[in-house]
Structures are given as structure tokens and as C-alpha cells.
Amino acid sequence: MNNTQGKHYNITTFGCQMNSADSERMAGILEKMGFQYEEDPNKADLILYNTCTIRDKAEQKVYSYLGRQAKRKQEKPDLTLIVAGCVAQQEGENLLRRIPELDLVMGPQHANRLEDLLEGVFNGDRVVATEPIHIVEDITRARRESEVTAWVNVIYGCNERCTYCVVPSVRGIEQSRTPEAIAAEIKDLGEKGYKEITLLGQNIDAYGRDLPGSTASGRHKHTLTDLLYYIHDIPGIERIRFATSHPRYFVERLIVACKELPKVCEHFHIPFQSGDNDILKAMSRGYTHQKYRSIMEKIRKYMPDASISADAIVGFPGETEAQFENTLQLVEDIGFDQLNTAAYSPRPGTPAAIWENQVSEEVKSDRLQRLNHLVAVKAAERTQRYLGRVEEILVEDQNPKDPNQVMGRTRGNRLTFFTGDIQDLKGKIVKVKITQVRAFSLTGERVF
Ligand code: SF4
């Protein structure tokens, strides 16, 4: 076994919350092995890039980073270089050929096996771990970015086949964790003083459908709704969030649970991707814009003030101006608190990437600009409702731009700044009167 005493590691994470959660667990494994965290990658003995391939731009980012460290390895031959995450899964052996200085290429499913894989590396091998495996529970303490909020994976992978999406091919089939394992992790977090958890899944509404058991009515025994009831009363945790929902499987029973369960925050993240039914069909999303709108209506019937965020893609192959306008119309009608927008990016191995009717980059960027403009206008309208209200803010950190201020979020997930001392307020839920509103954040004054 390689002597890790006094050795330092650095992890750079690209992409989504699932990658952040994987990086936290891999950091925990490295620290258990004796490595210490080093902020500056140029001072580290082990470098791990946890990568994203959701769009070409995200994928290209890691190569420039790798190039620099590959050069550094010429002066420091004992530097260990690792690529993890979705680019590693997508490229596998090719990456070892492309970058001779690389020691380990490991897919997302192998995150919990980092120690075993490094065994091979420290014995002088160059290792590739991308074969599909059953993800083993890892009890290693994750090295979490926050001391107040925590990510909790509930289901890995995705069985959907959205024609633009690379996730199923790089993260594999759905694998739900058992409610007991999830509850044990949350109990541990509550004991450690964490106040908020976010349950994570690429398609979180699929939670439990791969677990054994079904109810008398034939419904899956384990669902996201049942999980929320199951974990709700775990001591110490005061707020529960979850992401990412899928309109195809989103059920009214879940909305009722969110209304009934006090700790579950009034915020839903439900990507719609397009407002046009023909495009939704071509994307294999499995719902219509009418179905999506009815979900919004139901949420607002039960929780009129709920925050709603989503994702949308412009310039999907074949998208006409009229079809794009259907997306604009849906955004206009619903009024999202936040909308993550992106231009379609053809991904390796996805059906839509090889279709003839690709939309030009000029048209894509024109549509993205117009959509982003509308999103900002609607978000500014939506945010007005906070002005003068008293909101409960969970204080997470100091405002990096103003040391006299702290920052946190409303139950609706809106970032809020107010004057306060982080030593005194970190991890506390305090009442704040909102005095200033911006499209995507708020400012207020503490009320005692
Ligand atoms: S639901 Fe669709 S878009 Fe989301 S991760 Fe699965 S395949 Fe990708």
C-alpha cells in the first residue's frame, strides 16, 4: 500500500449536484486513506477531476485542466492523475490513450470504490473502471462542502431515453438506495448539526420502482412520496428538498405530501425542456405541454406561493420558429422563479445527435438570448411578491462580497442577504423582512 502520510489531494468538480455528492464521498475516502485536502491543485500529490458531459462545452473544459497537470507530471512523476464522472464513463480506455500521464479513469458508478482502484494505481497499474456495477453503499464519511446543507443520493442512474441526453449511457440504470440506508445517512447528518437535506436523483420520481415490493393496489411499495413521510421526523433536520422531478411521473400524491409535511420546502424543480408537443415527442419526454401545465395548476392549487424552477432546451433538431414560440408562450404563461436554459448540444451516442435536421448555431444563440431575456423579465415579476414579507432564512454562509452580511435561502430556495454575524447565525433559521428584491435574489433586515 502506498504511503499517503503527508500527501495532499485536490478535487475539481464539474456539472450537477449528483457529481458534487459523488465528489464529497470520494474526498471522504481519500481522507480516510490519509490524504489531506489542498485548495491549490498545483500543490497536490493527487488530482481528481470529476467531470460532466451533458454538453460539449462542459466536456471540453476538463481537457485544458488535464493538459496543465500532465505537463506538471513530467517534473513530478509521483503525481497521481484521475478522471472520474461522466466523461470518464463516456471515453474510458480512449482517455488513457489520449493522455498517457493519466493513472485512473473511473465512471460515476465506481465512486465508492476509489480506495480499491487506487490500490492498483499504487501498484503501478493504469486503471480503467467503467463496467456497469451494482453501486455499493459507502459508509465513509463524505467530506461535505457545507456544514449546514447536505446532498443525499436516493436513486442513481436513469432508465429514461430522452433523445438528447447522455446521462443513461454514462450513469447507467436506475439503482434506488433502500429507505433504511437513506434514513441512516440523514440521522447521522441530523446528529452532526445539518439543518437541510436535498434528496437527489436524475429522475427522482422513479425512486423505488426498482426496489422489491408493491402495495395491495399494485403501486410500488417504495416511492418518493413514501420516502418523504418515512424520513420526515428524523431529529435535527428542519428542511427537506428534492430534485430533479420528471413531469411524466409527477403525481398529485406527492404535492399533497409536500403540503402536509412541514419540513418539506415549497419548491419544485421540474424540467419541461420544450413548450411544443412535437418537439417533446421527438425528445421522447413522454408528456405534452398540456400535462405539464396541469401539474403547475395542481401545485398552485395546493400551494399558491410555491417556487417553481425548471430546465429548457432551445434549438433541438428540427425546432421551427413557431415551435420555439410555444416554449416562449409556456414560460410567459407559467412564470418560473428560475429557469435553467441551454442550447441543444449533440452528445455522443444519443439518437438526436445524428439527425439531419440540426439547427444552426446562429439560430440557437438567437433563441437562447430571447428566452433568457423573457426568463429575467418573468423572474423579476415573480420576485415582487417577496417585497415587505417576513421570510424564514436558513443561514448558510457569509456574503463573499460583503463580510458584514450573511446569506441563506427562503423555503422557496431564493438566495437572501442580510446584515449579520456568521459566527452567531450559521445553521440558524431566522426571520428576515424583505426590503429589496432582484430577479434571482433578495435583501432584507432581521426581525427579532
Ligand atoms: S430523465 Fe431524460 S433528461 Fe433526465 S437524466 Fe434521464 S434521460 Fe436525461
Side-chain angles (χ1 to χ4, degrees), residues 158-162 164-168 202-203 246 273 285:
C158 185
N159 289 4
E160 299 301 301
R161 287 291 175 272
C162 304
Y164 55 84
C165 185
V166 75
V167 170
Q202 310 284 164
N203 169 11
H246 195 305
Q273 305 301 7
R285 288 291 287 171

Side-chain angles (χ1 to χ4, degrees), residues 175-368:
Q175 299 190 42
S176 298
R177 298 175 67 198
T178 64
E180 295 76 15
I182 294 166
E185 181 177 355
I186 297 171
K187 183 168 171 294
D188 180 58
L189 288 166
E191 284 159 6
K192 278 199 174 63
Y194 282 85
K195 294 287 181 294
E196 177 182 295
I197 54 155
T198 301
L199 307 178
L200 290 181
Q202 310 284 164
N203 169 11
I204 202 160
D205 295 300
Y207 175 73
R209 63 187 186 189
D210 58 314
L211 292 175
S214 58
T215 63
S217 61
R219 182 174 55 73
H220 286 286
K221 181 160 170 259
H222 302 291
T223 65
L224 175 61
T225 305
D226 299 303
L227 182 65
L228 288 174
Y229 283 105
Y230 183 73
I231 62 161
H232 186 267
D233 299 337
I234 294 175
I237 302 297
E238 297 183 37
R239 285 184 172 184
I240 299 172
R241 301 182 187 276
F242 56 88
T244 295
S245 300
H246 195 305
R248 187 176 194 170
Y249 306 103
F250 196 89
V251 291
E252 186 162 354
R253 195 169 162 257
L254 176 64
I255 307 172
V256 174
C258 294
K259 178 157 179 67
E260 279 178 5
L261 296 169
K263 294 182 183 179
V264 179
C265 291
E266 300 77 19
H267 169 231
F268 297 91
H269 182 65
I270 316 177
F272 68 89
Q273 305 301 7
S274 171
D276 182 84
N277 287 348
D278 293 334
I279 294 293
L280 287 171
K281 197 148 186 269
M283 287 176 164
S284 294
R285 288 291 287 171
Y287 55 84
T288 60
H289 76 83
Q290 288 87 348
K291 164 85 190 283
Y292 189 83
R293 288 169 185 275
S294 72
I295 291 171
M296 298 295 120
E297 279 154 28
K298 277 204 191 96
I299 290 174
R300 288 185 169 154
K301 185 183 83 186
Y302 286 97
M303 308 158 91
D305 189 54
S307 266
I308 300 179
S309 60
D311 303 341
I313 294 173
V314 302
F316 185 76
E319 185 188 65
T320 62
E321 177 59 21
Q323 290 170 328
F324 170 63
E325 278 166 16
N326 288 336
T327 292
L328 292 179
Q329 191 59 54
L330 186 133
V331 173
E332 176 66 48
D333 298 345
I334 291 175
F336 291 97
D337 290 82
Q338 180 131 16
L339 182 63
N340 309 319
T341 61
Y344 170 72
S345 171
R347 302 312 298 140
T350 58
I354 52 171
W355 293 351
E356 301 289 313
N357 53 358
Q358 299 293 328
V359 172
S360 74
E361 292 308 315
E362 295 71 47
V363 171
K364 282 183 196 171
S365 66
D366 167 63
R367 287 178 185 169
L368 193 58

Side-chain angles (χ1 to χ4, degrees), residues 42 44 67-79 101:
N42 296 319
R68 283 196 290 277
Q69 292 303 333
K71 229 194 248 96
R72 192 173 150 236
K73 187 153 180 172
Q74 276 139 29
E75 294 121 41
K76 182 179 167 48
D78 66 342
L79 174 64
E101 295 80 5

Side-chain angles (χ1 to χ4, degrees), residues 388-437:
R389 269 169 44 170
V390 173
E391 289 288 319
E392 287 185 353
I393 307 297
L394 170 58
V395 180
E396 291 173 36
D397 227 326
Q398 189 170 47
N399 177 355
K401 295 205 182 86
D402 178 348
N404 301 318
Q405 283 195 331
V406 295
M407 63 185 201
R409 289 168 196 279
T410 64
R411 290 175 63 91
N413 204 37
R414 195 154 299 238
L415 195 56
T416 305
F417 303 93
F418 63 99
T419 303
D421 172 3
I422 191 62
Q423 302 312 325
D424 170 27
L425 295 176
K426 192 166 198 165
K428 294 211 175 91
I429 294 183
V430 297
K431 292 193 181 324
V432 172
K433 179 166 184 180
I434 305 304
T435 55
Q436 221 185 322
V437 297

